[in-house]
Amino acid sequence: MKILVTGGAGFIGSHTVIELLGAGYEPVILDNFSNSNRSVLAGLRQILGHDVPFYEADCNDPEALNAIFEKENFGGAIHFAAHKAVGESVAKPLMYYRNNLDSTLLLLETMQQHGVPNLVFSSSCTVYGQPEHLPVTEDTPRLPAQSPYGNTKAICEDIIRDAVYAKAPIKSIALRYFNPIGAHPSGLIGELPLGVPGNLVPFITQTAAGLREKLTVFGNDYNTPDGTCVRDFIHVVDLAKAHVQALRLLDSREETSYYDIFNVGTGHGNTVLEVIKTFEEVNQLKLNYSIGPRRPGDVEKIYAQVDKVNNVMGWRAEKTLAESLQDAWRWEQNLQKQKTSVSE
Ligand code: UD1
């Protein structure tokens, strides 16, 4: 069954393409490289031994999207393509709303026009804000988003839910990701942040590689075991596998309209300092870091309750924090080697 993967050259999308192929699906990538790199396609080719069908197009372009749906006979879609930088979304809210909402609406409309029912949507634990009780379940109330980016995730969830409640012929699952980290164990694909990384693990690996002088830990006066923030860090390959399980679940549902939400995390939290120490231990190196002020907008602690995804989808995280950090470091080292060999 052919599956459209919007944003399939991105971090989570590219890892999902591999898992889809392993599970017998036929992924078709759509990407405009606005926040990804063509080199990802070469990495996929090296891992898989063949090319993956690919369209360079913007999923906000109705004609392009329609032409792709006319040509391919999709059984479903996974919608990763979106702007995702929290800080940038605060500076450019209209760009974020226009891009992330339009692409979701257009994809839903095009799927309906072509009779494609199954949609997996990339959502985020950001919709929970700082919850009162931990771990968060799917029933934990969403809080007003801290950023336009977070709000686009909440609004897109609502758009899909409302369409399903109105009996549109759509079956959809929103996956609320916790903090995806790591890279493919081959070291051939991984996270490719543009500019200075905002996220913790790419900043750690770039510091270890000497690209950044020092990592700043944003605050150590939180109410957590060592004072630094707690997150639920999930290996990107585990997260990718959750998309395969979501598609299988959608296939198995007999009703024509269906919507559900699943947390995708490990179920336990680690502090920022634990991540740093684990990174140092497993990779046998010392990281230059210091404690700085809190970052505005950060929540103190959040981690997932994963009973629902375990029981209903039969999915659970398998990889450890240590494996994630080894894989992230292997990827960063390969990336630097590639850059050196290109510049030589
Ligand atoms: C952020 C987004 C979230 C998004 C996710 C994508 C916010 C508020 N949330 O999550 O919506 O889905 O990225 O991956 O931005 N840290 C440092 N030093 C650094 C970088 C990070 O100490 O240089 C700390 C942060 O303060 C935080 C933790 O590391 O406590 C994780 O940060 P990050 O990787 O940016 O993810 P989130 O902020 O949790």
Side-chain angles (χ1 to χ4, degrees), residues 38-323:
R38 273 164 222 282
S39 61
V40 173
L41 300 179
L44 285 174
R45 190 185 312 121
Q46 259 185 288
I47 294 167
L48 297 163
H50 59 82
D51 283 319
V52 180
F54 160 75
Y55 291 92
E56 181 167 354
D58 189 331
C59 71
N60 279 310
D61 177 343
E63 278 162 25
L65 203 61
N66 193 53
I68 295 166
F69 272 77
E70 294 258 303
K71 202 160 162 224
E72 309 283 352
N73 188 16
F74 293 124
I78 307 180
H79 186 35
F80 292 107
H83 292 331
K84 62 169 188 182
V86 174
E88 186 186 46
S89 80
V90 176
K92 298 177 182 169
L94 300 186
M95 182 178 109
Y96 269 67
Y97 285 113
R98 173 66 69 200
N99 183 70
N100 292 4
L101 304 191
D102 267 6
S103 63
T104 304
L105 285 165
L106 184 65
L107 180 61
L108 282 166
E109 287 164 354
T110 312
M111 288 175 73
Q112 280 198 70
Q113 278 158 19
H114 292 266
V116 179
N118 296 347
L119 173 67
V120 180
F121 176 68
S122 293
S123 190
S124 165
C125 70
T126 195
V127 301
Y128 295 118
Q130 176 60 71
E132 246 179 81
H133 303 289
L134 289 172
V136 285
T137 74
E138 290 79 357
D139 296 324
T140 297
R142 289 188 331 199
L143 292 178
Q146 300 266 354
S147 70
Y149 155 75
N151 208 19
T152 66
K153 291 295 170 192
I155 296 171
C156 285
E157 284 189 356
D158 291 348
I159 289 171
I160 298 168
R161 181 206 58 200
D162 289 350
V164 168
Y165 284 179
K167 299 270 181 273
I170 295 162
K171 298 194 283 180
S172 182
I173 286 175
L175 298 179
R176 288 181 178 160
Y177 310 151
F178 283 66
N179 286 57
I181 59 166
H184 193 264
S186 64
L188 294 168
I189 57 167
E191 207 165 353
L192 271 174
L194 288 181
V196 182
N199 293 117
L200 177 65
V201 172
F203 207 105
I204 289 178
T205 57
Q206 288 196 5
T207 307
L211 273 74
R212 314 268 157 220
E213 194 198 329
K214 184 171 79 168
L215 168 80
T216 303
V217 174
F218 297 138
N220 69 346
D221 57 352
Y222 287 100
N223 180 24
T224 62
D226 59 27
T228 62
C229 292
V230 169
R231 296 288 184 275
D232 185 335
F233 295 95
I234 164 115
H235 195 296
V236 65
V237 171
D238 279 336
L239 178 55
K241 288 180 178 166
H243 296 76
V244 172
Q245 290 306 100
L247 280 176
R248 286 185 171 141
L249 178 57
L250 290 174
D251 278 342
S252 74
R253 302 293 304 198
E254 284 179 2
E255 60 270 61
T256 49
S257 299
Y258 164 87
Y259 175 65
D260 210 348
I261 294 167
F262 292 87
N263 286 341
V264 190
T266 65
H268 52 86
N270 285 102
T271 67
V272 172
L273 279 180
E274 281 166 358
V275 173
I276 294 171
K277 298 216 163 100
T278 308
F279 181 84
E280 290 184 325
E281 261 168 44
V282 296
N283 296 313
Q284 303 278 302
L285 42 81
K286 274 266 155 239
L287 197 71
N288 188 19
Y289 72 90
S290 67
I291 308 295
R294 291 182 176 199
R295 179 170 70 176
D298 270 344
V299 301
E300 182 170 85
K301 49 189 162 198
I302 186 161
Y303 52 95
Q305 215 242 50
V306 286
D307 291 2
K308 185 172 170 186
V309 70
N310 290 169
N311 297 333
V312 180
M313 278 201 331
W315 173 93
R316 65 184 62 242
E318 285 165 359
K319 292 179 180 274
T320 61
L321 180 65
E323 282 173 279

